[in-house]
Amino acid sequence: MANLGVNVDHVATVRQARGGMEPDPVTAAALAELGGADGITIHLREDRRHIQERDLRLIRQTVKTKLNLEMAATDEMVRIALEVKPELCTLVPEKRQELTTEGGLDVRYNLELMTEAIGRLQDGGISVSLFVDPDMDQIKASSKAGADCIEIHTGAFAEATEWKVQEQELIKIENAVKLAKKLGMGVNAGHGLNYTNIKKVAAIGGIEEFNIGHAIISRALFVGLERAVREMVELVKYA
Ligand code: PXP
């Protein structure tokens, strides 16, 4: 049965639109846990466009499940992570101009950088996940770099408008899960998942945790956060 990590970045995005105190992602994290979230995910970006260091520190102190910190593999971020000590760090690529994380990491090309960042975080007692496309070479490189787990980028599947392409992407995800498991890594997945498309990915089996943000926070505007989380928990666990 898979777990659900709820990404509360978008609550911070609304707050930053006015530069004030509301809505507070720290409150959102607590409500997501009341709705049954198994973990809270936040992305501290280099440009601090949504989550702030204050949010990270308060969520670290108040979270009752576990904290997954998404971050770029930079010196600054590794230092912050080692101080705050999330249960999991998910390393992601980061470009300043992108609206959201656009693609998976190129672990093959950045093997040395990844291996070093992973080693430093693991030495600090933090497990490390690498956000990668469902690409065999990237998964093999993730294992070589010493990652504890991977998070499969489900964006290509989620964005596919043709049924045939969606099926092809689903097969890629299925094969990625198999290879990662064979190499002894844990498997998470996320990006672009919503109340409809989650059913097909959850049905693959073997994925330990789904990290979902935009769809849950969007639904929460209409039905409230606790209910939005509860509905997604049902889909993730019982699809
Ligand atoms: N996983 C990772 C690594 C991400 O960067 C994001 C987006 O912040 C998500 C999951 C969640 O994606 P979405 O907001 O589309 O559910």
Side-chain angles (χ1 to χ4, degrees):
M1 207 186 284
N3 284 339
L4 174 66
V6 175
N7 182 316
V8 297
D9 292 352
H10 293 290
V11 176
T13 300
V14 176
R15 178 191 60 192
Q16 297 310 109
R18 283 290 172 98
M21 299 291 285
E22 286 177 338
D24 195 332
V26 183
T27 310
L31 288 172
E33 287 187 325
L34 284 176
D38 300 291
I40 301 299
T41 297
I42 50 176
H43 185 174
L44 184 65
R45 296 185 74 105
E46 193 190 355
D47 62 8
R48 307 294 193 266
R49 74 169 73 145
H50 39 56
I51 292 292
Q52 306 297 307
E53 280 177 57
R54 167 259 184 208
D55 306 327
L56 168 62
R57 290 175 203 283
L58 287 177
I59 288 174
R60 168 66 296 179
Q61 285 171 36
T62 51
V63 93
K64 292 179 186 67
T65 52
K66 60 187 178 114
L67 175 61
N68 170 22
L69 176 62
E70 291 176 3
M71 56 181 237
T74 61
D75 224 34
E76 182 206 15
M77 289 309 309
V78 169
R79 199 170 28 75
I80 292 173
L82 288 171
E83 236 179 81
V84 175
K85 295 215 185 278
E87 278 76 16
L88 182 69
C89 269
T90 301
L91 300 181
V92 300
E94 205 174 285
K95 288 190 221 130
R96 271 171 198 243
Q97 268 75 37
E98 67 190 358
L99 283 178
T100 178
T101 314
E102 283 168 1
L105 286 166
D106 191 344
V107 189
R108 269 183 86 189
Y109 184 74
N110 296 295
L111 192 61
E112 216 174 299
L113 177 92
M114 289 297 143
T115 308
E116 201 218 320
I118 292 170
R120 284 174 68 195
L121 291 164
Q122 287 173 337
D123 286 348
I126 304 167
S127 296
V128 184
S129 177
L130 299 184
F131 187 49
V132 290
D133 293 327
D135 173 309
M136 300 295 130
D137 290 333
Q138 297 297 346
I139 293 167
K140 284 180 202 156
S142 301
S143 168
K144 222 184 222 177
D148 298 285
C149 59
I150 57 161
E151 178 173 331
I152 300 173
H153 192 317
T154 50
F157 159 78
E159 279 152 29
T161 47
E162 282 177 47
W163 177 84
K164 211 173 144 191
V165 181
Q166 215 185 56
E167 287 302 309
Q168 283 164 356
E169 290 301 326
L170 215 55
I171 290 168
K172 282 191 203 165
I173 296 171
E174 201 170 350
N175 290 335
V177 174
K178 280 188 198 147
L179 177 61
K181 296 243 166 225
K182 200 171 137 197
L183 294 170
M185 294 185 289
V187 185
N188 300 334
H191 203 91
L193 297 175
N194 59 39
Y195 292 83
T196 309
N197 64 22
I198 184 65
K199 293 170 199 160
K200 283 190 177 166
V201 194
I204 287 176
I207 297 172
E208 282 135 49
E209 183 160 301
F210 290 97
N211 286 308
I212 306 179
H214 194 262
I216 293 175
I217 303 303
S218 301
R219 192 172 185 87
L221 288 176
F222 303 115
V223 304
L225 187 53
E226 264 189 75
R227 180 169 150 193
V229 171
R230 198 157 281 135
E231 288 174 0
M232 189 59 87
V233 166
E234 286 284 316
L235 292 170
V236 159
K237 293 199 190 292
Y238 308 108

